[in-house]
Amino acid sequence: MPEGPSLVILKELAKPYEGRTIAKAHGNSKGIPFDELPGQPIISVRTWGKHFLMELPLLSLRVHLLMFGSYRIDEEKDGASPRLSLSFEEGGELNFYTCSVKTIDGDLDDAYDWSADVMADAWKPAAALKKLRAAPDMLVTDALLDQTIFSGVGNIIKNEVLFRLRIHPLSTVGALPAPKLRELVKQARQYSFEFLEWKKAFALKQHWLVHTKRICPRCNIALHKAHLGKTQRRTFWCERCQKRYSAVL
DNA sequence: CTAAATGTTAAGCC
DNA sequence: GGGCTTAACATTTA
């Protein structure tokens, strides 16, 4: 479920719970003060990249769905114990499964750099560019997955953005011409919003051009697939269509 | 049935 | 302590 756009969908679904007061809280997450939650209203529901945040008067709850996380709203998941379950005095419940739940003390605006979230109103392309220019040796396949630069971008978005821009995943950030680097920043957000619309229409997969694919849709030759970069994530690319920008000529 | 995958974090080791 | 590697987590799909 979990790249940035999917979290935006969760945020929209959870929005009606803003202002409701927690009646009961439980779950099998460790380190969560479930006893302290009843009586606290949800002040706001927010997201930062892949983080789902519920702001309460005394603390905030942070849910990260990781790779396999899921949620149910106003119902429970069959045969699963929630990591976090909240029910409300006004009715309704939010249940989260197979996820990481943590508390955050203090103001959320101090805890997060909102300008790094590609889905956020506060997104600042200039800030991303600055971070990229500070790391010229980084591979673009790693740069797009760096949550401090492109919070919310995941492996699908990474593969599709690189193909769309015809950039080889093993290009280094510093070798990209300035206009190409600006395009990278722009498309990281642009593609993420298209992802959001496709996801809402249950038509995400049909828009994938290279992710999980075997043939290049532009030139019909076989795509390459390998686990690249620091994180060794699955990468799909076309050796003919995607140019490898390298510092060494 | 087995493997792999939209992801992060903590522990362990130089 | 930094920086890197590895394991751990745990569900669904191919």
Side-chain angles (χ1 to χ4, degrees), chain A residues 3 141 144-145 153-167 169 184 187-188 190-192 194-195 198 204-215 217-218 223 234-237 242:
Chain A
E3 296 193 30
T141 191
L144 279 168
L145 293 177
V153 170
N155 205 36
I156 297 171
I157 295 171
K158 175 200 79 176
N159 281 320
E160 295 295 325
V161 165
L162 291 177
F163 179 73
R164 181 177 271 192
L165 294 176
R166 302 182 181 234
I167 298 171
L184 184 71
Q187 279 300 325
Q190 174 70 34
Y191 187 88
S192 295
E194 290 179 38
F195 182 122
W198 294 331
L204 180 61
K205 287 187 185 182
Q206 70 195 55
H207 288 275
W208 291 349
L209 298 179
V210 289
H211 188 77
T212 73
K213 304 296 181 187
R214 302 182 66 171
I215 304 292
R218 275 205 281 256
L223 289 170
R234 203 161 57 138
T235 308
F236 299 85
W237 76 98
Q242 293 173 252

Side-chain angles (χ1 to χ4, degrees), chain A residues 30 46 81 83 103 108 128 135 159 164 180 189 217:
Chain A
K30 288 176 184 171
R46 306 173 73 173
S81 304
R83 284 281 156 76
T103 58
L108 285 178
N159 281 320
R164 181 177 271 192
K180 208 69 184 170
R189 178 173 169 92

Side-chain angles (χ1 to χ4, degrees), chain A residues 5-119:
Chain A
S6 302
L7 270 287
V8 170
I9 292 171
L10 168 55
K11 175 170 65 178
E12 289 174 359
L13 292 172
K15 203 76 179 167
Y17 292 79
E18 286 185 346
R20 296 195 199 184
T21 299
I22 297 170
K24 290 180 187 169
H26 66 93
N28 59 16
S29 299
K30 288 176 184 171
I32 303 299
F34 292 107
D35 295 349
E36 298 171 23
L37 302 182
Q40 294 197 59
I42 293 185
I43 295 171
S44 72
V45 160
R46 306 173 73 173
T47 54
W48 179 83
K50 300 164 191 170
H51 297 209
F52 176 69
L53 303 162
M54 288 176 281
E55 182 186 6
L56 310 179
L58 301 179
L59 50 80
S60 294
L61 294 168
R62 190 216 74 176
V63 176
H64 198 304
L65 296 171
L66 300 171
M67 197 87 99
F68 317 124
S70 60
Y71 58 85
R72 294 291 187 274
I73 295 176
D74 294 342
E75 61 177 15
E76 292 174 29
K77 190 174 179 181
D78 287 341
S81 304
R83 284 281 156 76
L84 172 66
S85 173
L86 301 176
S87 56
F88 299 91
E89 291 178 1
E90 297 83 355
E93 56 185 287
L94 301 173
N95 297 309
F96 301 91
Y97 305 87
T98 4
C99 55
S100 164
V101 183
K102 294 201 170 170
T103 58
I104 297 172
D105 294 322
D107 195 331
L108 285 178
D109 286 328
D110 297 331
Y112 288 101
D113 172 10
W114 300 94
S115 75
D117 180 359
V118 297
M119 303 305 294

Side-chain angles (χ1 to χ4, degrees), chain A residues 179-245:
Chain A
K180 208 69 184 170
L181 197 64
R182 287 195 293 271
E183 270 190 276
L184 184 71
V185 171
K186 180 170 184 176
Q187 279 300 325
R189 178 173 169 92
Q190 174 70 34
Y191 187 88
S192 295
F193 276 89
E194 290 179 38
F195 182 122
L196 173 60
E197 292 311 310
W198 294 331
K199 180 99 185 168
K200 283 181 176 175
F202 303 101
L204 180 61
K205 287 187 185 182
Q206 70 195 55
H207 288 275
W208 291 349
L209 298 179
V210 289
H211 188 77
T212 73
K213 304 296 181 187
R214 302 182 66 171
I215 304 292
C216 173
R218 275 205 281 256
C219 67
N220 284 327
I221 69 168
L223 289 170
H224 285 244
K225 173 189 169 185
H227 291 81
L228 302 182
K230 272 191 306 195
T231 51
Q232 292 286 295
R233 301 297 304 280
R234 203 161 57 138
T235 308
F236 299 85
W237 76 98
C238 176
E239 212 39 71
R240 185 182 293 169
C241 293
Q242 293 173 252
K243 178 175 175 179
R244 183 165 175 172
Y245 298 89

